[in-house]
Amino acid sequence: MKKILFLLQNAWKYIRYNKFSSIVLFCAITVGFLFPMMALNDVNNLLWDARISRYEDAAGITILKYLMPYKEEAQMEEALKQAEKSFETAGYVGMAQQLVYAKGESYSGTVAAISRDYLTVLPCELVEGSFFSEADYSESGERTCLLLYTTNLAKDGVKVGDSIEILGNSYTVKGIIRAPRAFGGVMVPYTFAGEVLRGGEDVNISYHIITYGHKGVVSIHFPDQLTSEREKGVKEDEEFFASVWKLNRYRMLRAGIIILFTMINMLILFLGMTVGERYSMAVRMALGISRKSLFLEVLFRNLLLMLPAFLVSVLIYPFFCVFVKSIDSHLRGDTMLQAGLGGAVLIILITLAVLWFGFHKQGVASMLKRRAE
Amino acid sequence: MIEMKEIVKHYGKGDNVTEALKGISLRIENGEFTAITGHSGCGKSTLLNILGGMDRQTKGEYFCDGEDVSGMSERELAKFRNSHIGFVFQAFHLAGELTAAENVALPLGYAGVGAKERKERAKVLLDRVGLAEKYKAYPAKLSGGEMQRVAIARALANHPRILLADEPTGNLDHENGEKIMALLRELNKEGMTVVMVTHDLELAAMADRCIHMADGSIIAQKN
């Protein structure tokens, strides 16, 4: 422990002493984390988009199976069975529609009309208030709704008992739940489905997604609304999915290029830093530092820069998102943390590999000699 | 006692091989002050680096107090450097981010010595080299002579038996050079084995023994 503390102190002193390069590196890492986050969000986004199928459950599942590395296919099948069961008993399970409602500021979100057994299929957690009761499904009863915790409405301070307006009708917030975002921002009992749908052909582009532990996704639709769409035939389906695929390939490529670009830049920075550190490391090696301690000291130096940079990038990420969102309205932040951590681990591994394979083979004497030259 | 047998050192590969040391055999007794002289590129620094475990010979055997240094692993070699050897370099090689005391305490930290003891020993050592008042000074604020004295104090931190000095006065003026030599001489009188590389024959004459090298070989020895 004494030694760890000593190495940590040394690492901090080194960073403090090399202020300029440390600040440059810190900023580079911060930005470096942002890009993979954004890029991975884009990938995540396209995965969600690919889940959209206008009708035909089977088609939706085919897409998902192709894109998502399912490990628990049985779970997905089970979710599908449950969803189908709900479909049979409720007539329709749910529906979603884009709408605009207002409370302070206009907000565009998705509302889903859900059946009673729907919440048993969907993995969701009640944050505040309660779920729908039997009375909420009565047409003559008070209009109630559930808010998804992550929606702007819940964050803006709309709480249980408040009323929100959906397409001219007032709905009392019954509860706030935490559930996968794709589920929809606002949920109303299916009894009021007619009110929250715009109706007409728009219904055909509405979709409903049940997520099952983020792993399995099935797409459920409403036979009455989709009949006309089905009649248009398989050809249109193929055209629809082909366009989705084309879009996805482009976005995947774009995300891949961003990640690659960022990682290469980060690698170059770290390599540069490691080369610059040769002298200081060589002196320490001459003094008898062990390989383990040397690695730890360099690791601490990198971590002391990387962890705060990561935290800063996480903190500024939402603002960055707002900016990018003004360009790309599809952006979501589900994979932010995974991306940041993944990037950090990758960079640490690269740095250690550079130290192990490149740096240590040089020999202390030659490194000191080079410095002197 | 240091004992080297037929030490050969090659640099490079294939047709570009340079033979830096050509079968050096050497014996240095404990408590001896040895100077190694020779022109630039004769292999004296290479020899010193091998003596200090900073470089490995291509062929030959090297024993230090009966221990086979040539057969040591990287880890054992690091420990050997930390506990047996003190280095003094021409360019001082102090860590710029650390104060004089912290530089002196650096090898102690790597040896696992606690903070309090490190501080105390650094104070004693800086006092020993006449720099007690520069305890908190950073290298950038020290003169060349002071930096070299800090480097010597650092070299003494783990009570090494052998002190290796590579052109210790090379970057210093005459007055500071003499002070450093006097310090090395004093340490030697206290029983420390000192091996110094220099191209200055006047300084070499102050040693117990002078080894003259040329073209990777020892060509003369004088007591």
Side-chain angles (χ1 to χ4, degrees), chain A residues 34-221:
Chain A
L34 278 175
F35 279 106
M37 281 185 205
M38 303 305 292
L40 286 174
N41 259 306
D42 210 34
V43 173
N44 180 56
N45 205 16
L46 75 89
L47 290 176
W48 279 111
D49 283 358
R51 289 169 197 175
I52 300 167
S53 63
R54 290 189 295 178
Y55 56 92
E56 293 292 341
D57 297 342
I61 291 162
T62 306
I63 287 181
L64 292 167
K65 277 185 178 173
Y66 191 82
L67 269 179
M68 307 276 292
Y70 282 120
K71 287 179 184 169
E72 295 168 47
E73 214 162 303
Q75 279 192 355
M76 197 187 89
E77 295 298 331
E78 184 58 32
L80 177 62
K81 277 181 195 164
Q82 287 189 51
E84 281 172 346
K85 196 177 166 191
S86 303
F87 184 87
E88 286 164 13
T89 54
Y92 51 83
V93 175
M95 57 191 74
Q97 179 60 285
Q98 290 293 120
L99 78 158
V100 177
Y101 49 87
K103 204 227 178 223
E105 287 178 24
S106 291
Y107 173 75
S108 174
T110 306
V111 65
I114 62 170
S115 62
R116 264 163 289 199
D117 50 5
Y118 192 82
L119 293 171
T120 61
V121 179
L122 177 83
C124 64
E125 176 197 343
L126 190 69
V127 178
E128 205 183 329
S130 62
F131 288 122
F132 293 136
S133 65
E134 196 67 32
D136 293 315
Y137 283 90
S138 164
E139 279 183 51
S140 56
E142 185 192 16
R143 287 183 179 81
T144 54
C145 67
L146 296 174
L147 287 188
L148 194 70
Y149 184 70
T150 50
T151 58
N152 285 356
L153 278 172
K155 284 180 178 169
D156 286 349
V158 175
K159 51 188 185 298
V160 174
D162 285 353
S163 290
I164 60 167
E165 192 179 293
I166 303 175
L167 296 174
N169 292 308
S170 182
Y171 287 78
T172 304
V173 177
K174 179 121 191 201
I176 293 173
I177 61 168
R178 206 191 299 271
R181 188 170 180 158
F183 184 72
V186 182
M187 280 145 277
V188 299
Y190 72 84
T191 328
F192 304 102
E195 284 182 11
V196 297
L197 288 171
R198 278 189 186 138
E201 289 183 2
D202 281 352
V203 175
N204 294 328
I205 62 159
S206 70
Y207 58 91
H208 197 95
I209 297 166
I210 298 172
T211 62
Y212 192 88
H214 289 288
K215 281 174 184 164
V217 180
V218 289
S219 174
I220 313 289
H221 299 279

Side-chain angles (χ1 to χ4, degrees), chain B residues 30-158:
Chain B
N30 286 341
E32 201 176 342
F33 192 147
T34 307
I36 303 171
T37 62
H39 292 296
S40 182
C42 70
K44 54 189 190 299
S45 290
T46 304
L47 181 63
L48 197 76
N49 287 334
I50 294 172
L51 275 170
M54 291 204 296
D55 208 348
R56 286 181 188 272
Q57 68 273 29
T58 312
K59 280 181 202 166
E61 290 177 322
Y62 168 27
F63 294 91
C64 182
D65 290 335
E67 282 184 85
D68 183 6
V69 180
S70 43
M72 283 180 181
S73 65
E74 281 295 324
R75 194 176 177 171
E76 287 167 336
L77 211 53
K79 204 172 174 185
F80 169 75
R81 285 198 295 265
N82 190 260
S83 58
H84 288 62
I85 309 283
F87 283 102
V88 179
F89 303 97
Q90 180 180 359
F92 324 129
H93 292 324
L94 297 179
E97 72 271 21
L98 304 176
T99 62
E102 286 166 344
N103 262 291
V104 173
L106 204 57
L108 297 170
Y110 292 135
V113 177
K116 197 179 167 189
E117 198 182 335
R118 283 204 306 268
K119 270 185 187 174
E120 282 167 5
R121 276 167 76 175
K123 261 184 189 174
V124 170
L125 285 163
L126 281 172
D127 192 35
R128 170 85 173 79
V129 297
L131 286 175
E133 77 283 4
K134 301 281 183 180
Y135 184 82
K136 286 183 178 174
Y138 283 91
K141 302 279 179 193
L142 299 174
S143 69
E146 286 171 336
M147 280 200 268
Q148 194 60 296
R149 279 189 278 162
V150 172
I152 291 173
R154 182 181 65 182
L156 302 175
N158 274 331

Side-chain angles (χ1 to χ4, degrees), chain A residues 3-4 8 68 74 94 112 132 135 223 235 245 263 300-301 369:
Chain A
K3 204 166 176 180
I4 296 282
L8 206 56
M68 307 276 292
F132 293 136
K235 197 184 168 191
W245 275 113
M263 287 304 166
F300 287 152
R301 282 181 195 176
K369 198 177 167 191

